[in-house]
Amino acid sequence: YLPLCGLCNALMTCTFVIAIEMTSIANAFILSNLSSAIIILSKAALGKPVLLMEGLGATIGMIGAAICALPTHGQDDESLSRALSEGGASKEGLGNLIATLSSVGTVGYLVIAAKLRDKFDLFLF
């Protein structure tokens, strides 16, 4: 499991750096830290019990992330249409998607690391 854990860590780090180049730092940071919400959604999808406060927290986190992922190109329709024609919105949207992929890498790392923790010394791992 150790190589897979390292691969998930590399996925998490590389996708975060790529996302910073493509979207705002705030969006990259918020969307790359959705790992707890993804873990809660995974528990629900697997049929494991989800506590009320866990579900509420995941819902609030996902709503906040969706708000952050909305395009923010200005107040008027002209600036939004200009950004879409220049490809800025698609680049930002792709950056948001890549930042969310960073969260998936974090989830993989945390799940695998929990299994490996007993087998390695804390300072080695």
mmCIF file of all heavy atoms in Angstrom, residues 38 43 47 50 55 77 82 102-103 108 113 115 122-123:
data_model
loop_
_atom_site.group_PDB
_atom_site.id
_atom_site.type_symbol
_atom_site.label_atom_id
_atom_site.label_comp_id
_atom_site.label_asym_id
_atom_site.label_seq_id
_atom_site.Cartn_x
_atom_site.Cartn_y
_atom_site.Cartn_z
ATOM 1 N N ILE A 38 -15.906 14.699 1.005
ATOM 2 C CA ILE A 38 -15.854 13.533 0.117
ATOM 3 C C ILE A 38 -15.887 12.239 0.923
ATOM 4 O O ILE A 38 -16.556 11.271 0.539
ATOM 5 C CB ILE A 38 -14.616 13.607 -0.794
ATOM 6 C CG1 ILE A 38 -14.766 14.779 -1.774
ATOM 7 C CG2 ILE A 38 -14.407 12.296 -1.550
ATOM 8 C CD1 ILE A 38 -13.530 15.046 -2.598
ATOM 9 N N LYS A 43 -19.032 7.561 2.659
ATOM 10 C CA LYS A 43 -19.686 6.743 3.681
ATOM 11 C C LYS A 43 -21.159 6.540 3.348
ATOM 12 O O LYS A 43 -21.672 5.420 3.439
ATOM 13 C CB LYS A 43 -19.563 7.404 5.063
ATOM 14 C CG LYS A 43 -18.244 7.208 5.749
ATOM 15 C CD LYS A 43 -18.173 7.950 7.073
ATOM 16 C CE LYS A 43 -19.191 7.480 8.070
ATOM 17 N NZ LYS A 43 -19.028 8.129 9.402
ATOM 18 N N GLY A 47 -23.324 3.015 2.159
ATOM 19 C CA GLY A 47 -24.364 2.527 3.054
ATOM 20 C C GLY A 47 -23.970 2.530 4.513
ATOM 21 O O GLY A 47 -24.687 1.969 5.346
ATOM 22 N N VAL A 50 -24.183 7.768 8.627
ATOM 23 C CA VAL A 50 -23.610 9.110 8.689
ATOM 24 C C VAL A 50 -24.364 9.879 9.769
ATOM 25 O O VAL A 50 -25.600 9.947 9.739
ATOM 26 C CB VAL A 50 -23.745 9.830 7.326
ATOM 27 C CG1 VAL A 50 -23.235 11.253 7.420
ATOM 28 C CG2 VAL A 50 -23.015 9.067 6.241
ATOM 29 N N GLY A 55 -23.318 14.913 8.207
ATOM 30 C CA GLY A 55 -24.043 15.191 6.980
ATOM 31 C C GLY A 55 -24.297 16.675 6.790
ATOM 32 O O GLY A 55 -24.155 17.207 5.688
ATOM 33 N N ASP A 77 -23.095 41.658 -17.916
ATOM 34 C CA ASP A 77 -23.119 40.529 -18.845
ATOM 35 C C ASP A 77 -22.026 40.642 -19.902
ATOM 36 O O ASP A 77 -21.561 39.642 -20.423
ATOM 37 C CB ASP A 77 -24.484 40.431 -19.532
ATOM 38 C CG ASP A 77 -25.576 40.015 -18.565
ATOM 39 O OD1 ASP A 77 -25.242 39.361 -17.563
ATOM 40 O OD2 ASP A 77 -26.749 40.347 -18.811
ATOM 41 N N ARG A 82 -17.351 38.370 -22.580
ATOM 42 C CA ARG A 82 -15.976 38.560 -23.042
ATOM 43 C C ARG A 82 -15.065 37.477 -22.456
ATOM 44 O O ARG A 82 -14.235 36.911 -23.142
ATOM 45 C CB ARG A 82 -15.483 39.951 -22.647
ATOM 46 C CG ARG A 82 -14.178 40.316 -23.288
ATOM 47 C CD ARG A 82 -13.698 41.745 -22.978
ATOM 48 N NE ARG A 82 -14.710 42.684 -22.550
ATOM 49 C CZ ARG A 82 -14.809 43.172 -21.303
ATOM 50 N NH1 ARG A 82 -13.951 42.784 -20.375
ATOM 51 N NH2 ARG A 82 -15.739 44.029 -20.981
ATOM 52 N N SER A 102 -7.591 17.228 -6.425
ATOM 53 C CA SER A 102 -6.626 17.230 -5.335
ATOM 54 C C SER A 102 -7.263 16.693 -4.056
ATOM 55 O O SER A 102 -6.617 15.981 -3.282
ATOM 56 C CB SER A 102 -6.095 18.645 -5.118
ATOM 57 O OG SER A 102 -5.220 18.698 -4.028
ATOM 58 N N SER A 103 -8.534 17.015 -3.832
ATOM 59 C CA SER A 103 -9.250 16.480 -2.671
ATOM 60 C C SER A 103 -9.377 14.965 -2.736
ATOM 61 O O SER A 103 -9.278 14.283 -1.724
ATOM 62 C CB SER A 103 -10.649 17.086 -2.573
ATOM 63 O OG SER A 103 -10.591 18.412 -2.194
ATOM 64 N N GLY A 108 -7.644 9.557 -0.781
ATOM 65 C CA GLY A 108 -6.896 8.316 -0.980
ATOM 66 C C GLY A 108 -5.720 8.209 -0.031
ATOM 67 O O GLY A 108 -5.475 7.162 0.574
ATOM 68 N N ALA A 113 -3.204 5.799 4.441
ATOM 69 C CA ALA A 113 -2.310 6.086 5.560
ATOM 70 C C ALA A 113 -2.860 5.534 6.875
ATOM 71 O O ALA A 113 -2.095 5.107 7.738
ATOM 72 C CB ALA A 113 -2.068 7.583 5.672
ATOM 73 N N LYS A 115 -4.429 2.797 7.216
ATOM 74 C CA LYS A 115 -4.109 1.368 7.241
ATOM 75 C C LYS A 115 -2.619 1.123 7.487
ATOM 76 O O LYS A 115 -2.238 0.139 8.095
ATOM 77 C CB LYS A 115 -4.522 0.715 5.926
ATOM 78 C CG LYS A 115 -6.006 0.671 5.714
ATOM 79 C CD LYS A 115 -6.362 0.026 4.408
ATOM 80 C CE LYS A 115 -7.856 0.024 4.211
ATOM 81 N NZ LYS A 115 -8.257 -0.600 2.962
ATOM 82 N N LEU A 122 6.178 6.410 13.339
ATOM 83 C CA LEU A 122 5.602 7.722 13.040
ATOM 84 C C LEU A 122 6.594 8.627 12.329
ATOM 85 O O LEU A 122 6.249 9.326 11.383
ATOM 86 C CB LEU A 122 5.099 8.386 14.333
ATOM 87 C CG LEU A 122 4.490 9.765 14.178
ATOM 88 C CD1 LEU A 122 3.250 9.701 13.310
ATOM 89 C CD2 LEU A 122 4.146 10.337 15.542
ATOM 90 N N PHE A 123 7.858 8.606 12.732
ATOM 91 C CA PHE A 123 8.857 9.471 12.114
ATOM 92 C C PHE A 123 9.232 9.004 10.721
ATOM 93 O O PHE A 123 9.623 9.788 9.886
ATOM 94 C CB PHE A 123 10.090 9.572 12.997
ATOM 95 C CG PHE A 123 9.808 10.273 14.295
ATOM 96 C CD1 PHE A 123 9.788 9.570 15.484
ATOM 97 C CD2 PHE A 123 9.534 11.628 14.302
ATOM 98 C CE1 PHE A 123 9.526 10.225 16.663
ATOM 99 C CE2 PHE A 123 9.265 12.277 15.476
ATOM 100 C CZ PHE A 123 9.261 11.575 16.667
#
